[in-house]
């Protein structure tokens, strides 16, 4: 029994009568587990930490569930009325640009849903809610206009049929791709290159397949828009990165005045006594 107790608390001997401390291995496991949980939590949006992603994500989750479970005739009508096709952009541009961003293409089980949570949460934690919303909205609007306005011009020139003016177009993919482009410039290596490479591969696949020409061209346009936003976001990301415990510790060290020579002499004299 004595040998077992000695093995259980080897290397953690303390004063007589003091409670035994846990072994270093258990302590290390607990620290690693705590760090892992904190890292996992930071991947998810929270009302206080990422209000834009959290609130917008709830809206997207509600519309995605309704897309899958609601009356399909009503869902189809709402999607058509929210479509950013060339005809709607001519009649009511602001309404459809906002309404089209309330739906997730593919419903609740679409890959855009986890992509939105991970990417937009990570971006918002680095640059804040306002700038994240700005990047998302800029990518969504500009990429939509860049793909739909040429369609209207082609129809007016007689190169496309009039039915192309009423093509169904909705979703968050353009805004999400813009956030990917912005986020890739704020990550550390090798994550920055990995995210940028993955986004470039997705865009290249879309352009190669051309299953949906407007979306296939809109994704790389949105990615470039997000990359173009990097200079406006980098300063904010660096400031937030320095605002943690390390930055506070450095500030505290700078704030403490250096002792004068007389104070040092007095302290040494007191210590000698």
């Amino acid at each position: 029994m004595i040998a077992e107790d000695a093995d259980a608390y080897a290397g953690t001997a303390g004063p007589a009568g003091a409670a035994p401390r846990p072994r270093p291995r258990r302590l290390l496991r607990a620290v690693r587990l705590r760090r892992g949980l904190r890292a996992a939590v930071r991947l998810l949006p929270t009302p206080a930490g990422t209000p834009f992603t959290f609130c917008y994500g709830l809206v997207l989750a509600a519309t995605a569930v309704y897309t899958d479970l609601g009356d399909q005739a009503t869902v189809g009508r709402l999607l058509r009325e929210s479509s950013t096709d060339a005809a709607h952009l001519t009649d009511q541009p602001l309404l459809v640009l906002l309404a089209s961003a309330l739906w997730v293409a593919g419903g609740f089980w679409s890959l855009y849903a986890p992509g939105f949570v991970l990417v937009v949460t990570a971006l918002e934690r680095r640059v804040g809610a306002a700038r994240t919303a700005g990047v998302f909205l800029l990518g969504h609007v500009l990429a939509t206009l860049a793909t739909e306005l040429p369609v209207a011009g082609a129809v007016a020139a007689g190169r496309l049929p009039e039915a192309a003016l009423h093509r169904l177009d909705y979703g968050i993919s353009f805004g999400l791709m813009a956030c990917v482009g912005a986020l890739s410039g704020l990550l550390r290596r090798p994550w920055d290159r990995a995210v940028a490479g993955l986004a470039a591969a997705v865009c290249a696949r879309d352009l190669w397949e051309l299953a949906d020409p407007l979306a296939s061209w809109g994704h790389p346009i949105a990615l470039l828009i997000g990359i173009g936003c990097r200079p406006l976001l980098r300063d904010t990301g660096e400031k937030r990165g320095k605002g943690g415990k390390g930055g506070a510790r450095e500030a505290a060290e700078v704030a403490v005045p250096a002792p004068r020579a007389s104070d040092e002499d007095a302290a040494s004299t007191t210590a000698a006594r």
Side-chain angles (χ1 to χ4, degrees):
M1 187 68 180
I2 296 176
E4 292 177 358
D5 291 340
D7 291 339
Y9 300 102
T12 59
R21 293 175 296 173
R23 290 185 299 177
R25 287 185 179 179
R26 292 182 180 178
L27 213 60
L28 187 59
R29 289 175 187 170
V31 170
R32 288 178 177 176
L33 179 60
R34 186 177 300 176
R35 289 179 179 176
L37 291 176
R38 287 180 179 177
V41 169
R42 286 184 62 84
L43 295 176
L44 302 176
T46 59
T50 55
F52 169 72
T53 311
F54 185 83
C55 296
Y56 191 16
L58 290 180
V59 174
L60 292 176
T63 58
V65 170
Y66 183 72
T67 300
D68 293 338
L69 303 180
D71 178 63
Q72 293 304 303
T74 305
V75 170
R77 179 176 59 82
L78 291 175
L79 292 178
R80 287 192 300 272
E81 293 178 354
S82 303
S83 173
T84 50
D85 53 59
H88 279 147
L89 286 175
T90 303
D91 296 337
Q92 41 190 0
L94 294 180
L95 177 62
V96 293
L97 282 171
L98 293 177
S100 63
L102 300 179
W103 305 90
V104 179
F108 189 79
W109 302 109
S110 169
L111 291 178
Y112 291 125
F116 174 86
V117 171
L118 295 177
V119 171
V120 183
T121 297
L123 182 61
E124 186 172 356
R125 288 193 183 279
R126 286 164 173 79
V127 302
R131 296 196 181 193
T132 301
V135 171
F136 186 94
L137 189 61
L138 199 64
H140 174 71
V141 171
L142 294 185
T144 298
L145 295 178
T147 53
E148 289 291 349
L149 292 183
V151 172
V155 172
R159 297 181 179 179
L160 286 177
E162 189 174 352
L165 295 176
H166 304 280
R167 171 187 168 276
L168 190 62
D169 187 13
Y170 66 93
I172 60 172
S173 62
F174 291 168
L176 177 58
M177 192 61 73
C179 290
V180 171
L183 177 63
S184 62
L186 300 175
L187 297 175
R188 297 179 180 179
R189 293 183 180 180
W191 296 108
D192 56 346
R193 297 180 179 180
V195 171
L198 180 61
V202 171
C203 293
R205 185 202 63 183
D206 289 345
L207 292 175
W208 177 263
E209 296 178 353
L210 279 181
D212 186 348
L214 295 189
S216 298
W217 283 105
H219 289 157
I221 292 173
L223 181 64
L224 292 176
I225 292 171
I227 293 174
C229 293
R230 288 179 185 175
L232 303 176
L233 305 175
R234 190 169 289 116
D235 292 341
T236 303
E238 291 175 355
K239 289 178 181 178
R240 285 178 174 265
K242 294 179 180 179
K245 295 181 179 180
R249 189 183 302 113
E250 292 174 2
E253 291 175 357
V254 172
V256 175
R260 294 175 297 179
S262 59
D263 294 338
E264 291 176 354
D265 295 340
S268 62
T269 304
T270 305
R273 290 176 184 174

